[in-house]
CSV table of all heavy atoms in Angstrom, one decimal:
chain,number,residue,atom,x,y,z
A,319,PHE,N,-7.2,13.8,24.1
A,319,PHE,CA,-5.7,14.1,23.9
A,319,PHE,C,-5.5,15.4,23.0
A,319,PHE,O,-4.7,16.3,23.4
A,319,PHE,CB,-5.0,12.9,23.1
A,319,PHE,CG,-3.6,13.3,22.8
A,319,PHE,CD1,-2.5,13.5,23.7
A,319,PHE,CD2,-3.2,13.7,21.4
A,319,PHE,CE1,-1.3,13.9,23.4
A,319,PHE,CE2,-1.9,14.0,21.1
A,319,PHE,CZ,-1.0,14.1,22.0
A,320,GLU,N,-6.3,15.6,22.0
A,320,GLU,CA,-6.1,16.6,21.1
A,320,GLU,C,-6.5,18.0,21.8
A,320,GLU,O,-5.9,19.0,21.6
A,320,GLU,CB,-7.1,16.4,19.8
A,320,GLU,CG,-7.0,17.5,18.8
A,320,GLU,CD,-5.8,17.5,18.0
A,320,GLU,OE1,-5.1,16.5,18.0
A,320,GLU,OE2,-5.6,18.4,17.3
A,321,ASN,N,-7.4,17.9,22.7
A,321,ASN,CA,-7.9,19.0,23.4
A,321,ASN,C,-7.0,19.5,24.5
A,321,ASN,O,-7.0,20.6,25.0
A,321,ASN,CB,-9.3,18.8,24.0
A,321,ASN,CG,-9.9,20.1,24.4
A,321,ASN,OD1,-9.8,21.1,23.8
A,321,ASN,ND2,-10.6,20.1,25.6
A,322,CYS,N,-6.1,18.5,25.0
A,322,CYS,CA,-5.2,18.8,26.1
A,322,CYS,C,-3.8,19.2,25.8
A,322,CYS,O,-3.0,19.6,26.7
A,322,CYS,CB,-5.2,17.6,27.0
A,322,CYS,SG,-6.8,17.3,27.8
A,323,ARG,N,-3.4,19.2,24.5
A,323,ARG,CA,-2.0,19.4,24.2
A,323,ARG,C,-1.8,20.9,23.9
A,323,ARG,O,-2.7,21.6,23.6
A,323,ARG,CB,-1.6,18.5,23.0
A,323,ARG,CG,-2.2,18.8,21.7
A,323,ARG,CD,-1.9,17.8,20.6
A,323,ARG,NE,-2.7,18.1,19.5
A,323,ARG,CZ,-2.1,18.6,18.3
A,323,ARG,NH1,-0.8,18.8,18.3
A,323,ARG,NH2,-2.8,18.9,17.3
A,324,ALA,N,-0.6,21.3,23.9
A,324,ALA,CA,-0.1,22.6,23.4
A,324,ALA,C,1.0,22.3,22.4
A,324,ALA,O,1.5,21.2,22.3
A,324,ALA,CB,0.4,23.5,24.5
A,325,PHE,N,1.5,23.3,21.6
A,325,PHE,CA,2.6,23.0,20.8
A,325,PHE,C,3.7,22.5,21.7
A,325,PHE,O,4.2,23.2,22.7
A,325,PHE,CB,3.1,24.3,20.1
A,325,PHE,CG,2.5,24.5,18.8
A,325,PHE,CD1,1.4,25.4,18.7
A,325,PHE,CD2,2.9,23.9,17.7
A,325,PHE,CE1,0.8,25.6,17.5
A,325,PHE,CE2,2.3,24.1,16.5
A,325,PHE,CZ,1.2,24.8,16.4
A,326,PRO,N,4.2,21.2,21.6
A,326,PRO,CA,5.1,20.6,22.5
A,326,PRO,C,6.5,21.2,22.6
A,326,PRO,O,7.1,21.2,23.5
A,326,PRO,CB,5.2,19.1,21.9
A,326,PRO,CG,4.8,19.2,20.6
A,326,PRO,CD,3.8,20.3,20.4
A,327,ASN,N,6.9,21.9,21.5
A,327,ASN,CA,8.2,22.5,21.5
A,327,ASN,C,8.2,24.1,21.5
A,327,ASN,O,9.1,24.7,21.0
A,327,ASN,CB,9.1,22.0,20.3
A,327,ASN,CG,9.3,20.6,20.5
A,327,ASN,OD1,9.6,20.0,21.5
A,327,ASN,ND2,9.1,19.8,19.2
A,328,GLY,N,7.1,24.6,21.8
A,328,GLY,CA,6.9,26.1,21.8
A,328,GLY,C,6.3,26.6,20.6
A,328,GLY,O,6.1,25.8,19.6
A,329,GLY,N,5.9,27.8,20.6
A,329,GLY,CA,5.3,28.5,19.4
A,329,GLY,C,6.2,28.6,18.3
A,329,GLY,O,7.4,28.9,18.7
A,330,PRO,N,5.8,28.6,17.2
A,330,PRO,CA,6.8,28.7,16.0
A,330,PRO,C,7.2,30.2,15.8
A,330,PRO,O,6.4,31.2,16.2
A,330,PRO,CB,5.9,28.3,14.7
A,330,PRO,CG,4.5,28.5,15.1
A,330,PRO,CD,4.5,28.2,16.7
A,331,ILE,N,8.3,30.4,15.3
A,331,ILE,CA,8.7,31.9,15.1
A,331,ILE,C,7.9,32.7,14.2
A,331,ILE,O,7.7,33.9,14.4
A,331,ILE,CB,10.2,31.9,14.6
A,331,ILE,CG1,10.8,33.3,14.7
A,331,ILE,CG2,10.3,31.4,13.1
A,331,ILE,CD1,12.3,33.4,14.6
A,332,ASP,N,7.1,32.1,13.3
A,332,ASP,CA,6.3,32.9,12.5
A,332,ASP,C,5.1,33.5,13.3
A,332,ASP,O,4.4,34.4,12.7
A,332,ASP,CB,5.7,32.1,11.3
A,332,ASP,CG,4.7,31.0,11.7
A,332,ASP,OD1,4.6,30.7,12.9
A,332,ASP,OD2,4.1,30.3,10.7
A,333,ALA,N,4.9,33.2,14.6
A,333,ALA,CA,3.9,33.8,15.4
A,333,ALA,C,4.3,35.3,15.5
A,333,ALA,O,3.5,36.2,15.9
A,333,ALA,CB,3.8,33.2,16.7
A,334,CYS,N,5.6,35.6,15.4
A,334,CYS,CA,6.0,37.1,15.5
A,334,CYS,C,5.5,37.9,14.4
A,334,CYS,O,5.3,39.1,14.5
A,334,CYS,CB,7.6,37.2,15.4
A,334,CYS,SG,8.4,36.4,16.7
A,335,VAL,N,5.3,37.4,13.2
A,335,VAL,CA,5.0,38.1,12.0
A,335,VAL,C,3.7,37.9,11.3
A,335,VAL,O,3.5,38.4,10.2
A,335,VAL,CB,6.2,38.0,10.9
A,335,VAL,CG1,7.5,38.4,11.5
A,335,VAL,CG2,6.3,36.5,10.5
A,336,LYS,N,2.8,37.2,12.0
A,336,LYS,CA,1.4,37.1,11.4
A,336,LYS,C,0.7,38.3,11.4
A,336,LYS,O,1.1,39.4,12.0
A,336,LYS,CB,0.7,36.1,12.3
A,336,LYS,CG,1.2,34.7,12.3
A,336,LYS,CD,0.3,33.8,13.1
A,336,LYS,CE,0.9,32.4,13.1
A,336,LYS,NZ,0.1,31.6,14.0
A,337,ALA,N,-0.4,38.4,10.7
A,337,ALA,CA,-1.2,39.5,10.6
A,337,ALA,C,-1.7,39.9,12.0
A,337,ALA,O,-1.8,41.1,12.4
A,337,ALA,CB,-2.5,39.3,9.8
A,338,GLN,N,-1.9,38.9,12.9
A,338,GLN,CA,-2.2,39.1,14.3
A,338,GLN,C,-1.2,38.5,15.1
A,338,GLN,O,-1.2,37.3,15.5
A,338,GLN,CB,-3.6,38.5,14.7
A,338,GLN,CG,-4.8,39.2,14.0
A,338,GLN,CD,-6.1,38.6,14.4
A,338,GLN,OE1,-6.2,37.4,14.5
A,338,GLN,NE2,-7.0,39.5,14.8
A,339,PRO,N,-0.1,39.3,15.3
A,339,PRO,CA,1.1,38.7,16.1
A,339,PRO,C,0.7,38.1,17.4
A,339,PRO,O,-0.2,38.5,18.1
A,339,PRO,CB,2.0,39.9,16.2
A,339,PRO,CG,1.5,40.9,15.4
A,339,PRO,CD,0.1,40.6,15.1
A,340,ASN,N,1.5,37.1,17.8
A,340,ASN,CA,1.3,36.5,19.1
A,340,ASN,C,0.2,35.6,19.2
A,340,ASN,O,-0.2,35.1,20.4
A,340,ASN,CB,1.4,37.4,20.3
A,340,ASN,CG,2.7,38.3,20.3
A,340,ASN,OD1,3.7,37.7,20.1
A,340,ASN,ND2,2.5,39.6,20.4
A,341,ARG,N,-0.6,35.4,18.2
A,341,ARG,CA,-1.8,34.6,18.2
A,341,ARG,C,-1.5,33.3,17.6
A,341,ARG,O,-1.1,33.2,16.5
A,341,ARG,CB,-3.0,35.2,17.5
A,341,ARG,CG,-3.5,36.3,18.4
A,341,ARG,CD,-4.9,36.7,17.9
A,341,ARG,NE,-5.4,37.8,18.7
A,341,ARG,CZ,-6.6,38.2,18.6
A,341,ARG,NH1,-7.5,37.7,17.8
A,341,ARG,NH2,-7.1,39.2,19.4
A,342,PRO,N,-1.8,32.2,18.3
A,342,PRO,CA,-1.5,30.9,17.7
A,342,PRO,C,-2.5,30.5,16.6
A,342,PRO,O,-3.6,31.0,16.6
A,342,PRO,CB,-1.8,29.9,18.9
A,342,PRO,CG,-2.5,30.6,19.9
A,342,PRO,CD,-2.3,32.1,19.7
A,343,ASN,N,-2.1,29.6,15.7
A,343,ASN,CA,-3.0,29.1,14.7
A,343,ASN,C,-3.3,27.7,15.1
A,343,ASN,O,-2.7,26.7,14.7
A,343,ASN,CB,-2.3,29.2,13.3
A,343,ASN,CG,-3.2,28.6,12.2
A,343,ASN,OD1,-4.4,28.5,12.4
A,343,ASN,ND2,-2.6,28.3,11.1
A,344,HIS,N,-4.3,27.5,15.9
A,344,HIS,CA,-4.7,26.2,16.5
A,344,HIS,C,-6.0,25.7,15.8
A,344,HIS,O,-7.0,25.7,16.5
A,344,HIS,CB,-4.8,26.3,18.0
A,344,HIS,CG,-3.5,26.5,18.8
A,344,HIS,ND1,-3.3,26.4,20.0
A,344,HIS,CD2,-2.2,26.7,18.2
A,344,HIS,CE1,-2.1,26.5,20.4
A,344,HIS,NE2,-1.5,26.8,19.4
A,345,GLY,N,-5.9,25.4,14.6
A,345,GLY,CA,-7.1,24.8,14.0
A,345,GLY,C,-8.3,25.6,14.0
A,345,GLY,O,-9.4,25.1,14.2
A,346,GLY,N,-8.2,26.9,13.7
A,346,GLY,CA,-9.4,27.7,13.7
A,346,GLY,C,-9.9,28.2,15.0
A,346,GLY,O,-11.0,28.7,15.1
Side-chain angles (χ1 to χ4, degrees):
F319 169 76
E320 183 72 13
N321 194 40
C322 293
R323 67 187 176 111
F325 271 99
N327 298 318
I331 193 167
D332 69 351
C334 293
V335 294
K336 290 182 183 176
Q338 293 182 310
N340 304 313
R341 287 197 179 188
N343 181 14
H344 288 190

